[in-house]
Amino acid sequence: MRTIIGFIVIFGIHFIFSCQTPGNDEGGEIFVTNEQGMVTVFNRTAHDDMACVRRFNYDAIQDCFMGIAVDPDNAEILIAAPTNGLHADSIFIYSRTADGDNLLPSRTISGAGTGLNKPRGIALDGVRDVIIVSGWDLAGDRIDFFDRTANGSAGPVTPIKTIAGDRTAFHNIRGLAIDPVHDELFVVNYDDHSILIFDLIEVYDSAAGGN
């Protein structure tokens, strides 16, 4: 077992096995978000207080970065960023090799049309080129599906699919993960400490929206 120490608060983590990053010969990288709007990247074999490979932040609006997913095919980092009073609920997209202070995202998914609701978890369905985002507040839980290339807040940007409603058994949903082998979506319930598993073929084939 190895331990990496020295974080503020970890909100999201994603591992990429084959990254082909210059200077990284270990065959993988670990991407970590924290509450100060920072993403820190470590080599796969990092341990103790070993220095990171690179990091970037977005401190101009003191964002809280939560869920994170990495798209190795398109070299992008996807970040769930709930509203902090200075910006709307958003998905920020950065280059996978982003490095530096106060970096603006290369594109953003936000706006009333998105239905984003305190986004916390995020995952990428690389087979279908879809970004999947979980959110929760007192208005209820929902999972929204967006085209991977969605951009901006005008247009408007709208989800291609939404899962919501009482039949979902959502209870303050947080993290998301995809099993590409079995085509399943895993959803973490915070309130009742459970994990829900959805068949993605059934999800995409069902009627858009609702339960």
Side-chain angles (χ1 to χ4, degrees):
M1 187 185 79
R2 304 192 313 277
T3 303
I4 305 174
I5 62 174
F7 295 105
I8 304 298
V9 175
I10 296 175
F11 279 148
I13 187 167
H14 190 104
F15 173 70
I16 292 294
F17 181 73
S18 179
C19 55
Q20 299 179 0
T21 301
N24 176 18
D25 299 324
E26 300 298 337
E29 287 186 330
I30 302 167
F31 295 75
V32 181
T33 59
N34 71 22
E35 64 179 354
Q36 295 186 344
M38 180 180 293
V39 172
T40 309
V41 186
F42 296 91
N43 278 331
R44 180 188 63 82
T45 56
H47 57 85
D48 298 322
D49 58 352
M50 183 178 290
C52 63
V53 176
R54 62 190 180 278
R55 66 172 181 82
F56 68 88
N57 61 14
Y58 190 7
D59 60 7
I61 56 176
Q62 298 178 355
D63 270 288
C64 174
F65 287 172
M66 297 200 75
I68 185 170
V70 181
D71 179 354
D73 293 332
N74 297 287
E76 291 183 328
I77 301 172
L78 317 172
I79 301 169
T83 182
N84 63 357
L86 299 175
H87 71 94
D89 291 317
S90 301
I91 302 303
F92 294 139
I93 296 92
Y94 285 87
S95 165
R96 194 184 58 75
T97 56
D99 189 5
D101 291 327
N102 197 20
L103 296 185
L104 292 172
S106 55
R107 57 192 174 90
T108 301
I109 301 173
S110 65
T114 64
L116 288 172
N117 186 20
K118 301 292 189 301
R120 287 180 169 84
I122 189 166
L124 176 71
D125 182 347
V127 173
R128 301 175 180 87
D129 259 2
V130 171
I131 298 171
I132 306 175
V133 185
S134 65
W136 170 91
D137 70 8
L138 295 179
D141 300 85
R142 59 188 286 151
I143 294 178
D144 293 302
F145 297 69
F146 297 93
D147 186 280
R148 184 191 61 79
T149 60
N151 185 25
S153 58
V157 175
T158 57
I160 59 177
K161 180 144 193 92
T162 297
I163 303 175
D166 295 338
R167 293 176 57 195
T168 61
F170 291 160
H171 298 290
N172 193 351
I173 54 177
R174 301 296 179 97
L176 299 176
I178 286 180
D179 176 355
V181 175
H182 300 98
D183 214 13
E184 292 178 328
L185 173 66
F186 293 76
V187 181
V188 174
N189 265 334
Y190 179 81
D191 283 355
D192 67 1
H193 311 293
S194 65
I195 298 174
L196 308 174
I197 299 97
F198 292 87
D199 184 311
L200 279 172
I201 294 176
E202 292 181 1
V203 168
Y204 288 109
D205 285 347
S206 64
N211 290 309

